[in-house]
Amino acid sequence: MNGNRFGRLFQVTTFGESHGEAMGCTVSGCPAGLELSAEDIQEDLDRRKPGQSMITTSRGEPDAVSIKSGIQDGYTTGTPIGLVIQNKDARSGKYEPFITAPRPSHGDFTYSAKFGTRNWGGGGRSSARETVNWVAAGAIAKKILAREGIELKAHVNQIGDIEAPDVSFADILEHSEENDVRCAHPETAERMQERIAEYQEAGDSIGGSIYFEAQGVPVGLGAPRFDSLSARLGQAMMAVPATTAFEFGLGTEAAEWTGTERNDEWAFDDDGDPTPVENDHGGIQGGISSGEPIYGEVTLHAPTSIPTSQQTADWETGELKEEQVIGRHDPVLPPRGVPVVEAMLALTLVDFMLLSGRLNPDRVDDRPGEYDTEYHPSSPRNE
Amino acid sequence: MNGNRFGRLFQVTTFGESHGEAMGCTVSGCPAGLELSAEDIQEDLDRRKPGQSMITTSRGEPDAVSIKSGIQDGYTTGTPIGLVIQNKDARSGKYEPFITAPRPSHGDFTYSAKFGTRNWGGGGRSSARETVNWVAAGAIAKKILAREGIELKAHVNQIGDIEAPDVSFADILEHSEENDVRCAHPETAERMQERIAEYQEAGDSIGGSIYFEAQGVPVGLGAPRFDSLSARLGQAMMAVPATTAFEFGLGTEAAEWTGTERNDEWAFDDDGDPTPVENDHGGIQGGISSGEPIYGEVTLHAPTSIPTSQQTADWETGELKEEQVIGRHDPVLPPRGVPVVEAMLALTLVDFMLLSGRLNPDRVDDRPGEYDTEYHPSSPRNE
Amino acid sequence: MNGNRFGRLFQVTTFGESHGEAMGCTVSGCPAGLELSAEDIQEDLDRRKPGQSMITTSRGEPDAVSIKSGIQDGYTTGTPIGLVIQNKDARSGKYEPFITAPRPSHGDFTYSAKFGTRNWGGGGRSSARETVNWVAAGAIAKKILAREGIELKAHVNQIGDIEAPDVSFADILEHSEENDVRCAHPETAERMQERIAEYQEAGDSIGGSIYFEAQGVPVGLGAPRFDSLSARLGQAMMAVPATTAFEFGLGTEAAEWTGTERNDEWAFDDDGDPTPVENDHGGIQGGISSGEPIYGEVTLHAPTSIPTSQQTADWETGELKEEQVIGRHDPVLPPRGVPVVEAMLALTLVDFMLLSGRLNPDRVDDRPGEYDTEYHPSSPRNE
Amino acid sequence: MNGNRFGRLFQVTTFGESHGEAMGCTVSGCPAGLELSAEDIQEDLDRRKPGQSMITTSRGEPDAVSIKSGIQDGYTTGTPIGLVIQNKDARSGKYEPFITAPRPSHGDFTYSAKFGTRNWGGGGRSSARETVNWVAAGAIAKKILAREGIELKAHVNQIGDIEAPDVSFADILEHSEENDVRCAHPETAERMQERIAEYQEAGDSIGGSIYFEAQGVPVGLGAPRFDSLSARLGQAMMAVPATTAFEFGLGTEAAEWTGTERNDEWAFDDDGDPTPVENDHGGIQGGISSGEPIYGEVTLHAPTSIPTSQQTADWETGELKEEQVIGRHDPVLPPRGVPVVEAMLALTLVDFMLLSGRLNPDRVDDRPGEYDTEYHPSSPRNE
């Protein structure tokens, strides 16, 4: 079964299993003329990388990306960009007790039941490791969006019962990467860190949530009804492993707001354009971007791999058994989930930039003019 | 711009504006051999229909559906099913004050900015009226699912600050249609009704939420990573007008649950198959259905059309003005949203039943054997 | 099973059977601001219409199109355009002998075997009558292309053993509609007409071919490798009923040409742009339009419905029988196929105009400036 | 711009340029349980490989494929299959004279005009080298089809003015690989070889055509109208580099056949099923496979790279110049095109096998029963 592609014009197709030989993705639909290097991509991969701090799995993966095609002299050529990331620290041995006995709340049972088999090492294809591909593709999308003046960022705003107060976009940009939790509110970050340590010591894990925001998004992105911006963001974010909720604007709170409270009245901005006086609508009206910041939240449940024995049912032996998932795992997901959420947000936005004609699908012409294969037809027949 | 199609194998394509001549949709990909009549569809349309109670708009639309193709002698033929629903009670006059002055938090501004124009009568294409097409197509999907033993239902579980206690699926089936609010908990329904009346009198509106559940869904639906069942449900539900949040399983609560609490341990069912002892995972594991009930919640913000003047900015005159949306509107959306949410759930599930090979895309052979154009090749070359 | 949609950004979805209640299609993805009326569409429908001459079926269908949505004050709004064409002269009775005995070389057997049923009146969904939808959608595509300076036309260049000499595009524009055969070479047209009459009298039918050409197509349309312009034209043309061959440029003749002969050397045009000195490549190089005229040919086999008894096998009775298809049919297909081929060419080109960013998917702004819902944001945030 | 994916359920996505670092493709949608090794794929790659004979380019590419994911213990897992093929013998230097001066009838001009740049080494993305990916993916498709009793094969039936007589499918299977030309008619093969040598000596190249046939295809493949089997074969074959014509059944000859001649009357086969007495329809009726052999022909023009100087126009210097393409090229394309045509035929058929529900998209269960992650739910909730 497929389902390994995201995007309609900016198409990302991925492959790879947690403990397989390599991860990889092909980005088809990236315009030509974008300056791009492996370093541009590596930066985000390092933010998602395991072993980056005490609160992430100790698996040692450099996650070094190699660009196989689509680039020439440092610029994209409009042809598919092939990316490959070798797996270095695969040790599937630890998963043997669970080959025929599904780990609690993992994809073991559903994968085996669906496909009649599964790559059982570390969850195989169902592992969150697969998001390394998303982050790689997302880094390319971010570069394109930056050229268009679109800036986006996420941070961790809840871990267990600890919630961060609202922080400005500027604060998120400035502070979210300052601590291991990736919470833009320093004091809250410290408390989160302590709470995570408690659960780690107790051999348990905990859930949390990620807040995301995008600024500079032009009016007009989104294709109602079924491909509205909110619908496609919903798909993008609900695809993130362990996500149980997606909210934008007021999210679940909207249930308790009245129309008079939530409605954003209109005024004029400095250019004389109508502009909402507030942004309770979250930057999307009628399924289309309004030009206001787009913000929302994603809830991630607690990691299902915990160093505590739980009951499983072995379909081979027909016996129940208490087993503990050894492996190397995260006590909490949001810190490493931040770049993943940013990637899905970027991929969704760049796709709509192309779909709405705000980006030329063939060329962005970043490339210096002297670039020798460049050719701009001047003849009217080419207009 | 497109975006008017839902589904990959069970494809629904819609057209129509709130105050246009007609609404319509084409269902392409419905297997042949399904017994189907306009009545089957009408039933659900009547549940969504305006003017059905004191708490819905008084617009008088019979919403009578006409089947133009795809049916023969009462059975589907495997060819596209063309549906048309005439608009009877269109009165766009009332919207004139807003032609160049966007209504607060509607799609007026975004549609005009995107398309350089818009059908301004009652929101045109952006109107929730368009969901009449979804419900029509969803009724066909429900019929197919019922044949497969899949039952689904939704009910209103929150209006403003009034939340319904958890109710069983049996209760939802039995009670949700007994009251105008479509809340399966009778006492709560009454309180909701009163609360709605208060807001109505105050010339205001209020938000709420809808709980949905599907039972009998086989293991194996969903195509991770990007087309996981949760991802596609996310798209489907976030496309529902006024939706600001989608949750499945524990939803936003998952942030506060630990791994030991949320993990569902495994036991054996009566058939000796592994079965989770609880269903905190909401029927989806690793993006694939687990065979357990699928449940979740959708939040709808308060209707933006309220009988109270609010400020808008006229881009033609360049002046600010206080205007009241006359029209005929709902004080709350969830009661009429219930069949819409059910439709999107049904369309998502039937699409995956086809994508996962659990339904034959060509024929379901409900049709009586003597049906005269029937032909079942017996030759091996046809197997 | 689906398969009733054409186009990726300019999406045409059709429904309807030959002797059903109505034919219809939804055009999703047409930019806003295009002046459009039913008359614009009717013109092409009349060219495809039955009963227009002695060499077409006598079925009396006005094929009057009704626009149900997507238009306001004579201009498109960017929302889906719903078109419906009522069937007036349906008489399926004549097909009763063939309900369980397939007509030779029709789709009767394959449809019944695939779907376990079929709408047997006049071939139901498999009837060429369905192309009325294509021509309706194609007329909209042509209008868009004309705005961009793209002109396209087809004519009949072979009927049986009678081939027309090469004629210029100007001649095709001027003469193809002057005779019933739609051959742009008058003398040949006469001979074709006589030949057709001979076969008609003999109770037989004959094949033929259609030449098509498009001028003013900009450089850069086509998305190699799998969606090259030639590949998508191949799909479009091979979907035309009765088509057995698609050729572009030299077509099958290319097998006998050497590289030195076929290669088009480069010179400079008046604007100093490289331009091929010849156009043996047919306007497509590397799967992408070169700016030169795109031309090719489509072969249509003889109509399978002929007033002569042929043997069929009744799967109900298990008996062989000699039957004659009564009905009302064409002795030759190309004359009515001309607008169909033009439609598929137009739909393919407009789709690539959108895919390659040469057309804005949201708005073409044909619309007069004073149009009152128009709004062009001036703020940079909207650029 | 995208266009690098083929297939709707069996999705092949490719990357790579002629003289880039590597070629690769991802096969998403291959059912689990198929026994598969690199050797299975290598076999076909070797048939397409350069340097395999005197009449192919001398470029030395082993074209060794490496499987990066989707396989476990020798069987597919239902997850995407990542394939990478390193380029070993890249020498782009030879193309420098053509960086800003397009080679005659190549994609140089169109790529540069479209993307404002291009990878100029050996045609970059537009090179036929890219078909190595198609053949790799096609080999997987062939293995699936073989399990279903579907056999397909192609051979060269024309080179320049030398045409092979009709040969049986058995002869094609037996003889097509016996000679360098891949013509199943030995005597004709010899004459073709001589003719090719003549052109080679003359510093020229020549066109030709490939005949393909598939047997054992079940009734019911194809999704009319726009995704009819003939339409999708048309897209598949017209995507093959240098293709100028696609024919199936009678092809262009159909123009001269009458209805009585071409119509295939019906009889009964040994199983009592209706079966056409002839197969002039080429195995497709009404756009759907009839169960009869599917056959057709593809015309490939002469290679455009020839060791003879031709005129080009340098858009940098604005001067005309006579240049010769050095490089290492084929004097004729069909011999190496045979596995490419087979691949596209296989990919099209396997996609329809999935789309029509004749293949389970999740699992084919080739896998031995004791395979340890296997799990076949027995509970009714999983049926």
Side-chain angles (χ1 to χ4, degrees), chain A residues 76-208:
Chain A
T76 58
T77 55
T79 57
I81 302 169
L83 304 174
V84 173
I85 295 148
Q86 290 295 319
N87 285 334
K88 300 289 188 186
D89 189 14
R91 318 180 196 157
S92 45
K94 290 176 170 150
Y95 300 89
E96 269 153 7
F98 298 98
I99 292 176
T100 58
R103 290 169 298 167
S105 297
H106 282 75
D108 299 349
F109 173 82
T110 52
Y111 267 73
S112 276
K114 181 182 183 66
F115 297 112
T117 178
R118 77 177 195 282
N119 181 313
W120 48 267
R125 179 70 182 168
S126 73
S127 168
R129 167 143 190 75
E130 207 274 309
T131 59
V132 69
N133 290 321
W134 312 9
V135 171
I140 300 174
K142 282 179 179 178
K143 259 209 111 168
I144 297 173
L145 295 174
R147 289 167 38 91
E148 306 296 314
I150 300 173
E151 202 166 28
L152 58 90
K153 194 86 190 65
H155 85 116
V156 176
N157 70 335
Q158 183 174 1
I159 292 292
D161 58 349
I162 302 174
E163 286 187 64
D166 290 352
V167 291
S168 70
F169 190 60
D171 282 339
I172 298 177
L173 291 175
E174 189 180 340
H175 300 299
S176 62
E177 299 295 321
E178 290 175 350
N179 55 71
D180 294 345
V181 192
R182 289 210 168 79
C183 171
H185 192 261
E187 306 78 67
T188 309
E190 271 180 48
R191 292 172 44 229
M192 288 176 168
Q193 199 117 14
E194 288 156 16
R195 182 57 46 91
I196 293 168
E198 288 166 29
Y199 285 111
Q200 246 174 328
E201 283 148 28
D204 208 342
S205 63
I206 184 68

Side-chain angles (χ1 to χ4, degrees), chain D residues 54 58 103 111 147 171 218 272 297 320 326 354-355:
Chain D
M54 294 300 299
S58 62
R103 288 169 299 169
Y111 267 72
R147 290 167 38 91
D171 283 340
E297 213 169 302
L320 297 176
I326 306 296
L354 290 165
L355 285 163

Side-chain angles (χ1 to χ4, degrees), chain A residues 246-266:
Chain A
F246 167 72
E247 307 173 86
F248 86 91
L250 298 178
T252 56
E253 274 185 44
E256 303 193 25
W257 286 50
T258 66
T260 45
E261 290 163 350
R262 183 186 174 282
N263 277 3
D264 297 325
E265 298 188 288
W266 291 94

Side-chain angles (χ1 to χ4, degrees), chain C residues 1-6 12 14 102-107 109-111 113-114 125-128 130-131 134 158-161 199 204-209 219-228 230-232 234-235 238-239 241 243-248 251-252 254-260 262-268 274 277 285-286 288-290 299-304 306 308 310-315 318-320 322 344 352 355-356, chain D residues 1-6 12 14 102-107 109-111 113-114 125-128 130-131 134 158-161 199 204-209 219-228 230-232 234-235 238-239 241 243-248 251-252 254-260 262-268 274 277 285-286 288-290 299-304 306 308 310-315 318-320 322 344 352 355-356:
Chain C
M1 194 166 188
N2 42 51
N4 305 291
R5 192 195 71 174
F6 185 80
V12 178
T14 74
R103 289 169 299 168
S105 297
H106 282 75
F109 172 81
T110 52
Y111 267 73
K114 181 181 183 67
R125 179 69 181 167
S126 72
S127 167
E130 207 275 308
T131 59
W134 311 10
Q158 183 174 359
I159 292 293
D161 58 349
Y199 285 112
D204 208 340
S205 64
I206 184 68
S209 69
V219 178
L221 304 196
R225 310 291 302 214
F226 301 112
D227 295 326
S228 67
S230 30
R232 286 297 182 178
Q235 177 194 357
M238 293 309 300
T243 305
T244 57
F246 166 71
E247 306 172 86
F248 86 92
T252 56
E256 303 193 24
W257 286 48
T258 66
T260 45
R262 184 186 173 281
N263 276 2
D264 296 325
E265 298 188 287
W266 293 95
F268 287 108
V277 295
Q285 291 186 335
I288 298 168
S289 61
S290 68
T299 304
L300 304 176
H301 63 64
T304 47
I306 48 177
T308 295
Q310 290 191 295
Q311 178 177 293
T312 179
D314 191 318
W315 63 67
E319 278 162 13
L320 297 176
E322 292 286 325
M344 295 314 290
F352 276 117
L355 285 163
S356 68
Chain D
M1 193 167 187
N2 42 49
N4 304 292
R5 192 195 72 174
F6 186 79
V12 178
T14 73
R103 288 169 299 169
S105 297
H106 283 74
F109 173 81
T110 52
Y111 267 72
K114 181 182 182 68
R125 180 69 181 168
S126 72
S127 168
E130 207 275 307
T131 59
W134 312 8
Q158 183 174 0
I159 292 293
D161 59 348
Y199 286 112
D204 208 341
S205 63
I206 184 68
S209 69
V219 178
L221 304 196
R225 312 293 298 217
F226 302 111
D227 296 326
S228 68
S230 30
R232 285 297 181 177
Q235 178 194 356
M238 293 309 299
T243 305
T244 57
F246 167 71
E247 307 173 85
F248 85 91
T252 56
E256 304 193 25
W257 287 48
T258 66
T260 44
R262 183 185 173 281
N263 277 2
D264 296 326
E265 298 188 286
W266 292 94
F268 287 108
V277 295
Q285 290 186 334
I288 298 169
S289 59
S290 67
T299 303
L300 303 176
H301 63 64
T304 47
I306 48 177
T308 296
Q310 290 192 294
Q311 177 177 293
T312 179
D314 191 318
W315 63 66
E319 278 161 12
L320 297 176
E322 293 285 325
M344 295 313 291
F352 276 117
L355 285 163
S356 67

Side-chain angles (χ1 to χ4, degrees), chain B residues 214-239:
Chain B
Q215 296 207 351
V217 178
V219 178
L221 303 196
R225 309 288 304 213
F226 301 112
D227 296 326
S228 68
L229 181 50
S230 31
R232 285 297 182 177
L233 277 176
Q235 178 194 356
M237 297 304 179
M238 293 309 298

